[in-house]
Amino acid sequence: MYPNHEYLKEFGITEDDFKGMCVMSSWAVCGQRPRHGDNENGEHEENDDGGEGKEHDHEHYDFDDTKLHYSGLDHCARENLGYKCKRILDFGRYRYLQDNGFEVELIYYVEPHTSLENLALMAVPTNV
């Protein structure tokens, strides 16, 4: 459930756009990055070196996954778009709470390498 469809309408975001944004927002936090040596199904294929060596270092993503994803976007572009969608939706929640008597703050509470879901929406009623 999303509390502030009126906020989205202010920017011309339709119900279909909203549904798409919900899907794309998951791209920001899915955490699935193809590794060098992954096949089209995302399964890792071993080479002659028995899985040793730099070419199997999981930090190196020279794999082109644009052909594997229906969007045609690589992982980095999907992640960036996903975060933009998440922030639009988060700010709509922020505005909803603010408009309904809450003091609101969005807080990054850990680094992204600790958790991709690292933004908290804190709300306190103003008339307490």
Side-chain angles (χ1 to χ4, degrees), residues 12-71:
I13 298 172
T14 67
E15 194 62 34
D16 285 340
D17 295 334
F18 170 72
K19 290 175 187 175
M21 289 174 68
C22 289
V23 170
M24 290 183 284
S25 70
S26 71
W27 295 350
V29 294
C30 72
Q32 296 177 337
R33 294 184 184 199
R35 302 170 298 188
H36 175 78
D38 282 356
N39 65 21
E40 290 183 8
N41 298 318
E43 298 164 343
H44 195 66
E45 295 178 344
E46 297 296 328
N47 279 346
D48 299 332
D49 66 0
E52 306 277 333
K54 196 74 162 168
E55 62 273 9
H56 286 284
D57 184 350
H58 298 283
E59 297 301 313
H60 296 278
Y61 302 114
D62 59 355
F63 181 82
D64 177 13
D65 70 330
T66 57
K67 64 184 173 214
L68 302 180
H69 195 268
Y70 68 90
S71 70

Side-chain angles (χ1 to χ4, degrees), residues 82-94:
Y83 274 117
K84 289 175 183 177
C85 290
K86 284 184 87 56
R87 294 304 80 94
I88 290 168
L89 297 173
D90 288 340
F91 197 71
R93 292 180 181 102
Y94 177 101

